[in-house]
Amino acid sequence: MPSISYALRNNLRPAIVQAGTLLLCFGSGLLLDSLQHLGPTIVVLTTVLGMTLGRTQRNRGLRNRLFALVTLPLISIGCNEVARLFVQHPNVADTLFTAAIGLSIWMRRFGGLPTRLGTLIALPFIALLITPVPVLPGQSSSTLRSMMWSAVAALVAYAWVWVTQAGAERTGFVESPPAAPHQGARPTQSSQRIPASTRMAVQMTLSLALAFVIGRTVFDPHWTWIVLTAFIVNSGNRGRGDVVHKCLLRIAGAGFGTIVATLISGLLPAHDNTAVVIILVTVVVGGWLRTISYAYWAGCVTSVLSLLQGYFGEGNVGLIGERLLQIVIGGALAVLVAWFVLPVKSSHVLGRRVRGCMAALGDARKAAQDAPAEFALHHQRFAENLAQLELVAPSFIAHRRLYRLRRRDGRHPADAVDALRACAAPMAVVAARESEQAVAAALREIGQSMRLVGEVYGTARDHAGKTPAQPQKA
């Protein structure tokens, strides 16, 4: 697990850039509201898009950024229509919202452009769950006018994200992120009869449908928190264990964040600029501590949403209990659906990513000895696969703590993660090639780590008592 010193060195500056982006988007939304009298929806839409785009677009090249710049306004126009239906035909709106999110996940099975489009589809729809009023107010505002300004808000948010990220990288304030892993026209099919993307889409669709039904029936008119929680817990589903782990962290972090932020909002009058300052500080802290634990990020994001709603007059302290209950129910829904409906086994996900790292390491070791000019390519492959492995590691590391409390002997799959992490430093030594002795020692260290991975997968048992798939050997 990354240390606090790691977070200080690597996350603080990107978090500051994110806060700057959020401030510019918030100010632009207020300016649009003051010029066109569009209401708080336009402010929230611009701000939330800035916050979410800032995390999803950092490693995008010029071509992908231009694609997003063209498609995001069109998606926002459709999203605006769903927002209008939330008032006039809520059941229709709930159905369209659920279908759009499910579609955005199902499209990942095709890879490449459809995957990027699916990511963009989800962002404006999530903003709907945070907006304190569902449509642009005013009887004089036509539907066409509302659609147009929703597209403008998306353009403004994306423009600020692009400008701040490019400026920070150009000036050296933050390091340029590594290029996104190359994706072909279609991802490699797994041995599962139903692709993981289809399973995740079905799980998300069912979770949101149940959340809408319970929210509308039990918690109306403050139904959005249960839907938002179901979405967050199910997003990026990397197996049943990941969903359970994320749910617990979400409940812990979001519960604490909701209590603190709602109490603060209750002390501040609506439209108090003090809330804006607190929001920016919270974004910096959340982004800074995200790699240490998802709980910090969940707590900070929930605090931001509560403060943002409080800024527009939705900061009633009496809502704390209801919000906490919705968070718990929404998380429980996501876990139950992920566990019993077309489940994705965490051990299978981990095994695939371990095999990817092992294959890259094996090719890198051969290249270091036989074709040094090709080593850089395999080094990059390993870095990309290790980054993907890190995404699934937290739930296994948490499970290892419980496993060791009950049984101190034996290997655990999380030990393989540690061994592969340990390969990063010697791989850098080989890439530098300062001396033949250093390269030889680094290759021996990599070989030892690879043997440890093989040992882990030869003895470790997953939760069900089955041995995970054997990774490729060097």
Side-chain angles (χ1 to χ4, degrees):
M1 176 113 14
S3 63
I4 293 180
S5 62
Y6 177 91
L8 282 170
R9 292 194 307 270
N10 295 276
N11 297 333
L12 183 57
R13 289 188 176 187
I16 292 174
V17 174
Q18 175 77 337
T21 304
L22 195 64
L23 178 61
L24 290 168
C25 291
F26 184 79
S28 299
L30 290 177
L31 180 61
L32 290 175
D33 181 26
S34 64
L35 293 177
Q36 297 294 325
H37 306 291
L38 299 170
T41 296
I42 202 71
V43 183
V44 175
L45 176 62
T46 309
T47 304
V48 173
L49 282 177
M51 183 168 63
T52 52
L53 285 167
R55 294 207 59 84
T56 61
Q57 302 297 309
R58 258 205 91 202
N59 62 345
R60 302 303 183 186
L62 178 61
R63 182 178 178 182
N64 291 334
R65 288 185 183 274
L66 291 175
F67 172 76
L69 198 62
V70 172
T71 56
L72 191 59
L74 300 177
I75 296 170
S76 297
I77 289 174
C79 184
N80 180 80
E81 279 301 285
V82 176
R84 181 176 60 84
L85 291 172
F86 269 132
V87 171
Q88 299 177 359
H89 304 285
N91 291 334
V92 175
D94 296 349
T95 302
L96 291 176
F97 181 99
T98 302
I101 298 298
L103 176 65
S104 71
I105 298 173
W106 179 77
M107 290 171 66
R108 296 176 189 173
R109 65 177 300 178
F110 301 105
L113 188 63
T115 296
R116 295 193 292 272
L117 181 60
T119 300
L120 293 173
I121 287 175
L123 301 181
F125 280 88
I126 297 309
L128 291 182
L129 300 179
I130 304 159
T131 309
V133 290
V135 291
L136 303 179
Q139 295 181 352
S140 61
S141 296
S142 65
T143 300
L144 181 61
R145 179 171 178 265
S146 299
M147 294 166 59
M148 180 189 72
W149 286 109
S150 294
V152 170
L155 284 172
V156 168
Y158 196 84
W160 281 129
V161 169
W162 192 346
V163 167
T164 53
Q165 290 181 353
E169 293 169 14
R170 184 70 61 89
T171 59
F173 185 73
V174 299
E175 296 181 1
S176 298
H182 174 72
Q183 292 177 318
R186 183 177 300 213
T188 303
Q189 296 295 325
S190 68
S191 60
Q192 293 178 330
R193 186 165 52 184
I194 302 176
S197 57
T198 301
R199 294 168 181 262
M200 293 162 60
V202 171
Q203 291 172 359
M204 177 66 81
T205 300
L206 182 57
S207 296
L208 291 179
L210 293 173
F212 269 115
V213 170
I214 296 174
R216 294 285 192 184
T217 304
V218 181
F219 299 107
D220 198 48
H222 305 290
W223 51 267
T224 56
W225 283 87
I226 186 173
V227 180
L228 184 62
T229 301
F231 170 80
I232 292 176
V233 173
N234 248 325
S235 294
N237 178 348
R238 302 178 185 97
R240 295 181 298 188
D242 177 73
V243 174
V244 173
H245 183 249
K246 191 185 300 181
C247 175
L248 294 175
L249 294 180
R250 163 73 177 162
I251 291 173
F256 179 78
T258 296
I259 293 173
V260 173
T262 307
L263 289 174
I264 293 175
S265 298
L267 298 175
L268 300 174
H271 304 286
D272 191 324
N273 290 332
T274 304
V276 179
V277 176
I278 298 174
I279 287 173
L280 296 178
V281 172
T282 304
V283 169
V284 172
V285 173
W288 175 46
L289 298 177
R290 181 184 177 96
T291 56
I292 297 176
S293 174
Y294 178 81
Y296 294 114
W297 177 245
C300 290
V301 168
T302 308
S303 298
V304 168
L305 303 185
S306 297
L307 289 167
L308 196 58
Q309 290 185 337
Y311 183 86
F312 292 106
E314 292 286 333
N316 187 353
V317 176
L319 294 176
I320 290 180
E322 183 176 313
R323 285 179 176 177
L324 291 176
L325 181 58
Q326 289 193 54
I327 288 172
V328 172
I329 295 176
L333 279 176
V335 169
L336 289 173
V337 171
W339 200 268
F340 295 107
V341 180
L342 299 178
V344 178
K345 292 186 177 181
S346 301
S347 59
H348 291 175
V349 178
L350 182 72
R352 284 197 302 271
R353 300 192 181 189
V354 167
R355 290 194 295 272
C357 289
M358 292 287 281
L361 285 174
D363 292 340
R365 290 179 70 196
K366 293 178 183 178
Q369 297 171 338
D370 304 330
E374 299 178 4
F375 179 81
L377 174 63
H378 301 303
H379 188 193
Q380 177 64 23
R381 279 180 53 216
F382 170 71
E384 292 172 356
N385 280 280
L386 184 61
Q388 292 299 310
L389 179 65
E390 292 286 2
L391 296 177
V392 303
S395 61
F396 284 91
I397 293 173
H399 181 265
R400 180 172 60 183
R401 297 192 184 100
L402 299 176
Y403 175 83
R404 293 278 159 80
L405 287 175
R406 294 178 297 154
R407 176 183 173 185
R408 296 185 179 276
D409 60 330
R411 294 289 186 181
H412 188 278
D415 296 339
V417 176
D418 293 339
L420 291 170
R421 284 174 174 172
C423 292
M427 285 286 284
V429 171
V430 177
R433 301 196 75 88
E434 294 181 354
S435 68
E436 291 301 321
Q437 293 83 357
V439 170
L443 289 176
R444 285 196 298 271
E445 188 176 347
I446 293 171
Q448 291 172 357
S449 295
M450 294 179 71
R451 284 192 291 274
L452 176 58
V453 174
E455 179 185 344
V456 168
Y457 270 72
T459 59
R461 302 280 176 174
D462 67 5
H463 307 175
K466 299 178 182 178
T467 304
Q470 180 75 20
Q472 295 178 359
K473 295 183 179 180

